[in-house]
Short mmCIF file of all heavy atoms in Angstrom, two decimals:
data_model
loop_
_atom_site.label_atom_id
_atom_site.label_comp_id
_atom_site.label_asym_id
_atom_site.label_seq_id
_atom_site.Cartn_x
_atom_site.Cartn_y
_atom_site.Cartn_z
N VAL N 50 -0.87 6.36 -6.83
CA VAL N 50 0.07 5.96 -7.88
C VAL N 50 -0.63 5.08 -8.92
O VAL N 50 -0.43 5.24 -10.13
CB VAL N 50 1.28 5.23 -7.27
CG1 VAL N 50 2.16 4.61 -8.35
CG2 VAL N 50 2.10 6.19 -6.40
N CYS N 51 -1.47 4.16 -8.46
CA CYS N 51 -2.21 3.30 -9.39
C CYS N 51 -3.12 4.11 -10.29
O CYS N 51 -3.20 3.85 -11.51
CB CYS N 51 -3.04 2.28 -8.60
SG CYS N 51 -2.07 0.94 -7.87
N GLU N 52 -3.81 5.07 -9.73
CA GLU N 52 -4.72 5.91 -10.52
C GLU N 52 -3.95 6.68 -11.58
O GLU N 52 -4.40 6.81 -12.73
CB GLU N 52 -5.46 6.87 -9.59
CG GLU N 52 -6.46 6.19 -8.66
CD GLU N 52 -6.84 7.04 -7.47
OE1 GLU N 52 -6.51 8.25 -7.46
OE2 GLU N 52 -7.46 6.51 -6.53
N LEU N 53 -2.79 7.18 -11.21
CA LEU N 53 -1.97 7.94 -12.14
C LEU N 53 -1.44 7.07 -13.28
O LEU N 53 -1.62 7.37 -14.47
CB LEU N 53 -0.80 8.58 -11.39
CG LEU N 53 0.27 9.26 -12.24
CD1 LEU N 53 -0.28 10.52 -12.89
CD2 LEU N 53 1.51 9.57 -11.41
N LEU N 54 -0.78 5.95 -12.92
CA LEU N 54 -0.13 5.13 -13.92
C LEU N 54 -1.13 4.38 -14.80
O LEU N 54 -0.85 4.12 -15.98
CB LEU N 54 0.82 4.14 -13.25
CG LEU N 54 2.03 4.77 -12.55
CD1 LEU N 54 2.88 3.69 -11.89
CD2 LEU N 54 2.88 5.57 -13.54
N SER N 55 -2.28 4.03 -14.27
CA SER N 55 -3.27 3.31 -15.08
C SER N 55 -3.73 4.15 -16.27
O SER N 55 -4.08 3.61 -17.32
CB SER N 55 -4.49 2.92 -14.23
OG SER N 55 -5.21 4.06 -13.81
N TYR N 56 -3.66 5.45 -16.12
CA TYR N 56 -4.10 6.34 -17.20
C TYR N 56 -2.95 6.72 -18.14
O TYR N 56 -3.09 6.68 -19.36
CB TYR N 56 -4.72 7.61 -16.62
CG TYR N 56 -5.35 8.52 -17.65
CD1 TYR N 56 -6.66 8.31 -18.07
CD2 TYR N 56 -4.64 9.58 -18.21
CE1 TYR N 56 -7.25 9.14 -19.02
CE2 TYR N 56 -5.21 10.41 -19.16
CZ TYR N 56 -6.51 10.18 -19.57
OH TYR N 56 -7.09 11.00 -20.52
N TYR N 57 -1.79 7.06 -17.56
CA TYR N 57 -0.70 7.62 -18.36
C TYR N 57 0.36 6.60 -18.77
O TYR N 57 1.00 6.76 -19.81
CB TYR N 57 -0.02 8.75 -17.59
CG TYR N 57 -0.88 9.97 -17.45
CD1 TYR N 57 -1.55 10.24 -16.26
CD2 TYR N 57 -1.05 10.85 -18.51
CE1 TYR N 57 -2.35 11.37 -16.13
CE2 TYR N 57 -1.85 11.99 -18.39
CZ TYR N 57 -2.50 12.23 -17.20
OH TYR N 57 -3.30 13.34 -17.08
N TYR N 58 0.56 5.55 -17.95
CA TYR N 58 1.61 4.59 -18.29
C TYR N 58 1.29 3.27 -17.58
O TYR N 58 1.91 2.94 -16.55
CB TYR N 58 2.99 5.11 -17.86
CG TYR N 58 4.14 4.32 -18.44
CD1 TYR N 58 4.52 4.48 -19.77
CD2 TYR N 58 4.84 3.40 -17.66
CE1 TYR N 58 5.56 3.77 -20.31
CE2 TYR N 58 5.90 2.68 -18.19
CZ TYR N 58 6.25 2.86 -19.52
OH TYR N 58 7.30 2.14 -20.05
N PRO N 59 0.33 2.50 -18.11
CA PRO N 59 -0.10 1.26 -17.43
C PRO N 59 1.06 0.29 -17.22
O PRO N 59 1.79 -0.04 -18.16
CB PRO N 59 -1.14 0.69 -18.40
CG PRO N 59 -1.66 1.87 -19.15
CD PRO N 59 -0.47 2.77 -19.32
N MET N 60 1.22 -0.15 -15.98
CA MET N 60 2.27 -1.10 -15.62
C MET N 60 1.91 -1.72 -14.27
O MET N 60 1.06 -1.20 -13.55
CB MET N 60 3.63 -0.40 -15.55
CG MET N 60 3.76 0.59 -14.41
SD MET N 60 5.35 1.49 -14.43
CE MET N 60 6.52 0.15 -14.45
N PRO N 61 2.55 -2.85 -13.92
CA PRO N 61 2.22 -3.49 -12.64
C PRO N 61 2.63 -2.61 -11.45
O PRO N 61 3.72 -2.04 -11.43
CB PRO N 61 3.05 -4.78 -12.67
CG PRO N 61 3.36 -5.02 -14.11
CD PRO N 61 3.49 -3.67 -14.71
N VAL N 62 1.73 -2.50 -10.48
CA VAL N 62 2.00 -1.80 -9.23
C VAL N 62 1.62 -2.71 -8.07
O VAL N 62 0.48 -3.19 -8.00
CB VAL N 62 1.21 -0.48 -9.13
CG1 VAL N 62 1.50 0.20 -7.78
CG2 VAL N 62 1.55 0.47 -10.27
N ILE N 63 2.57 -2.97 -7.19
CA ILE N 63 2.32 -3.78 -6.00
C ILE N 63 2.25 -2.85 -4.80
O ILE N 63 3.20 -2.10 -4.53
CB ILE N 63 3.44 -4.83 -5.81
CG1 ILE N 63 3.44 -5.78 -7.00
CG2 ILE N 63 3.27 -5.59 -4.49
CD1 ILE N 63 4.69 -6.62 -7.10
N ARG N 64 1.14 -2.88 -4.08
CA ARG N 64 0.95 -1.98 -2.95
C ARG N 64 1.24 -2.71 -1.64
O ARG N 64 0.62 -3.73 -1.34
CB ARG N 64 -0.49 -1.45 -2.93
CG ARG N 64 -0.84 -0.53 -4.10
CD ARG N 64 -2.34 -0.28 -4.17
NE ARG N 64 -3.07 -1.52 -4.44
CZ ARG N 64 -4.37 -1.70 -4.15
NH1 ARG N 64 -5.05 -0.74 -3.56
NH2 ARG N 64 -4.95 -2.84 -4.44
N LEU N 65 2.16 -2.17 -0.87
CA LEU N 65 2.48 -2.72 0.44
C LEU N 65 2.02 -1.74 1.52
O LEU N 65 2.36 -0.55 1.48
CB LEU N 65 3.99 -2.97 0.58
CG LEU N 65 4.63 -3.91 -0.45
CD1 LEU N 65 6.11 -4.07 -0.16
CD2 LEU N 65 3.94 -5.28 -0.45
N GLY N 66 1.25 -2.26 2.44
CA GLY N 66 0.71 -1.45 3.52
C GLY N 66 -0.17 -2.35 4.36
O GLY N 66 0.07 -3.55 4.46
N VAL N 67 -1.19 -1.78 4.96
CA VAL N 67 -2.15 -2.58 5.73
C VAL N 67 -3.26 -3.01 4.78
O VAL N 67 -3.90 -2.17 4.15
CB VAL N 67 -2.70 -1.78 6.92
CG1 VAL N 67 -3.70 -2.62 7.70
CG2 VAL N 67 -1.54 -1.34 7.82
N ASN N 68 -3.45 -4.31 4.68
CA ASN N 68 -4.30 -4.88 3.63
C ASN N 68 -5.76 -4.98 4.04
O ASN N 68 -6.27 -6.04 4.41
CB ASN N 68 -3.77 -6.27 3.22
CG ASN N 68 -4.38 -6.76 1.93
OD1 ASN N 68 -5.16 -6.06 1.30
ND2 ASN N 68 -4.03 -7.97 1.54
N ASP N 69 -6.46 -3.83 4.01
CA ASP N 69 -7.90 -3.76 4.26
C ASP N 69 -8.29 -4.44 5.57
O ASP N 69 -9.18 -5.30 5.61
CB ASP N 69 -8.67 -4.41 3.08
CG ASP N 69 -10.16 -4.08 3.13
OD1 ASP N 69 -10.53 -3.09 3.78
OD2 ASP N 69 -10.94 -4.84 2.52
N THR N 70 -7.62 -4.04 6.63
CA THR N 70 -7.95 -4.56 7.95
C THR N 70 -7.69 -3.47 8.98
O THR N 70 -7.01 -2.49 8.69
CB THR N 70 -7.11 -5.81 8.28
OG1 THR N 70 -7.52 -6.36 9.53
CG2 THR N 70 -5.62 -5.47 8.35
N PHE N 71 -8.24 -3.64 10.17
CA PHE N 71 -7.94 -2.72 11.26
C PHE N 71 -6.59 -3.07 11.86
O PHE N 71 -6.08 -4.18 11.70
CB PHE N 71 -9.03 -2.79 12.33
CG PHE N 71 -10.33 -2.18 11.91
CD1 PHE N 71 -11.40 -2.98 11.54
CD2 PHE N 71 -10.49 -0.80 11.89
CE1 PHE N 71 -12.60 -2.43 11.15
CE2 PHE N 71 -11.70 -0.23 11.50
CZ PHE N 71 -12.76 -1.04 11.13
N GLY N 72 -6.01 -2.12 12.57
CA GLY N 72 -4.77 -2.37 13.27
C GLY N 72 -5.03 -3.18 14.53
O GLY N 72 -6.12 -3.73 14.74
N GLN N 73 -4.02 -3.27 15.39
CA GLN N 73 -4.14 -4.01 16.64
C GLN N 73 -3.14 -3.47 17.64
O GLN N 73 -2.22 -2.74 17.29
CB GLN N 73 -3.90 -5.50 16.40
CG GLN N 73 -2.55 -5.82 15.78
CD GLN N 73 -2.41 -7.27 15.40
OE1 GLN N 73 -2.58 -8.15 16.23
NE2 GLN N 73 -2.12 -7.52 14.13
N SER N 74 -3.31 -3.86 18.88
CA SER N 74 -2.43 -3.39 19.93
C SER N 74 -1.12 -4.18 19.93
O SER N 74 -1.12 -5.40 19.73
CB SER N 74 -3.11 -3.53 21.30
OG SER N 74 -2.27 -3.06 22.33
N GLY N 75 -0.01 -3.48 20.14
CA GLY N 75 1.30 -4.11 20.19
C GLY N 75 2.38 -3.07 20.17
O GLY N 75 2.12 -1.88 19.97
N LYS N 76 3.61 -3.48 20.38
CA LYS N 76 4.73 -2.56 20.29
C LYS N 76 4.88 -2.10 18.85
O LYS N 76 4.71 -2.88 17.92
CB LYS N 76 6.01 -3.22 20.78
CG LYS N 76 5.99 -3.56 22.28
CD LYS N 76 7.28 -4.21 22.72
CE LYS N 76 7.25 -4.52 24.21
NZ LYS N 76 8.50 -5.17 24.68
N TRP N 77 5.24 -0.84 18.70
CA TRP N 77 5.24 -0.25 17.36
C TRP N 77 6.15 -0.99 16.39
O TRP N 77 5.79 -1.21 15.22
CB TRP N 77 5.63 1.23 17.42
CG TRP N 77 7.06 1.49 17.77
CD1 TRP N 77 7.58 1.71 19.01
CD2 TRP N 77 8.17 1.52 16.87
NE1 TRP N 77 8.93 1.89 18.95
CE2 TRP N 77 9.34 1.79 17.65
CE3 TRP N 77 8.31 1.38 15.49
CZ2 TRP N 77 10.61 1.89 17.09
CZ3 TRP N 77 9.58 1.49 14.92
CH2 TRP N 77 10.71 1.74 15.71
N ASP N 78 7.33 -1.42 16.87
CA ASP N 78 8.27 -2.09 15.96
C ASP N 78 7.79 -3.49 15.60
O ASP N 78 8.00 -3.96 14.47
CB ASP N 78 9.66 -2.13 16.57
CG ASP N 78 9.70 -2.72 17.96
OD1 ASP N 78 8.66 -2.78 18.63
OD2 ASP N 78 10.79 -3.13 18.40
N GLU N 79 7.09 -4.13 16.53
CA GLU N 79 6.54 -5.45 16.24
C GLU N 79 5.39 -5.35 15.24
O GLU N 79 5.23 -6.22 14.38
CB GLU N 79 6.07 -6.12 17.53
CG GLU N 79 7.21 -6.47 18.49
CD GLU N 79 6.72 -7.05 19.80
OE1 GLU N 79 5.49 -7.03 20.03
OE2 GLU N 79 7.56 -7.51 20.59
N LEU N 80 4.62 -4.28 15.33
CA LEU N 80 3.53 -4.08 14.39
C LEU N 80 4.06 -3.75 12.99
O LEU N 80 3.53 -4.22 11.98
CB LEU N 80 2.60 -2.97 14.87
CG LEU N 80 1.77 -3.31 16.11
CD1 LEU N 80 1.03 -2.08 16.62
CD2 LEU N 80 0.77 -4.42 15.80
N LEU N 81 5.11 -2.96 12.95
CA LEU N 81 5.73 -2.66 11.65
C LEU N 81 6.21 -3.95 10.99
O LEU N 81 6.06 -4.14 9.77
CB LEU N 81 6.89 -1.69 11.85
CG LEU N 81 7.20 -0.69 10.73
CD1 LEU N 81 6.01 0.20 10.44
CD2 LEU N 81 8.41 0.16 11.09
#
């Protein structure tokens, strides 16, 4: 999305996900 909008319609994009780290062991809902 950032690559697309930066070219055609520049605007702020906030990315939510895993922030450049490995995962870890735990219950799936607790990890979410």
Side-chain angles (χ1 to χ4, degrees):
V50 171
C51 286
E52 291 161 12
L53 172 69
L54 294 178
S55 67
Y56 187 86
Y57 290 102
Y58 193 76
M60 68 184 305
V62 178
I63 297 166
R64 293 169 296 159
L65 302 181
V67 179
N68 194 3
D69 193 21
T70 184
F71 288 103
Q73 57 188 304
S74 181
K76 294 181 179 180
W77 70 267
D78 53 341
E79 293 176 351
L80 290 172
L81 212 59

